[in-house]
Amino acid sequence: MKSSLLFLTGIFFSLQAAVAQDPYMDSLSQYLKGPDNRQKITAISDLAWEYNRTDVKKAIDLSLQGLTIATRLGLKDKLSQVNEDLGVSYFYKRDFDSAAFYYKAADASRKT
């Protein structure tokens, strides 16, 4: 029992270290330090997509940041992208009502 728990704990921390040391994600993270613009929202979207595999809460937090920036800057195409990202993240989280809400918001922002 103890050895199984230690083994699973080791795998968990190995996966976390692999994600933290991913050069692609590290380079995208550099955009988060820059000014609020289209590139930053694209980086947020790409990071959220990557985090959906390992940390859905982090993906949602990032996408909400992107939503705030896109709304403030009035970037409708990015607003649609970030809403869709949120829909995907909530789907992975199995929160289907929230997923549907954000998918509809993405669709609505494409139509305006």
Side-chain angles (χ1 to χ4, degrees):
M1 177 69 175
K2 265 188 176 180
S3 62
S4 296
L5 184 58
L6 287 174
F7 177 74
L8 291 175
T9 303
I11 289 175
F12 174 77
F13 285 112
S14 296
L15 289 174
Q16 293 294 81
V19 169
Q21 295 174 354
D22 184 339
Y24 176 66
M25 291 180 69
D26 289 343
S27 67
L28 287 174
S29 295
Q30 295 303 309
Y31 285 99
L32 301 181
K33 300 172 186 173
D36 291 350
N37 56 27
R38 286 180 174 279
Q39 284 183 318
K40 186 173 187 174
I41 297 168
T42 299
I44 287 170
S45 179
D46 290 350
L47 274 171
W49 186 259
E50 294 297 321
Y51 273 112
N52 274 329
R53 292 184 282 162
T54 58
D55 188 349
V56 175
K57 182 179 179 344
K58 176 80 171 173
I60 291 169
D61 291 343
L62 282 166
S63 294
L64 289 171
Q65 287 177 7
L67 185 63
T68 300
I69 296 167
T71 300
R72 188 169 30 80
L73 297 178
L75 302 173
K76 291 183 181 181
D77 60 322
K78 294 297 181 183
L79 191 61
S80 174
Q81 179 182 0
V82 176
N83 275 311
E84 190 158 327
D85 292 341
L86 282 162
V88 170
S89 295
Y90 278 108
F91 181 83
Y92 285 145
K93 190 178 177 185
R94 305 189 62 77
D95 182 346
F96 302 119
D97 290 337
S98 294
F101 173 83
Y102 285 107
Y103 284 139
K104 287 177 186 175
D107 190 47
S109 63
R110 281 188 202 101
K111 292 179 181 178
T112 59

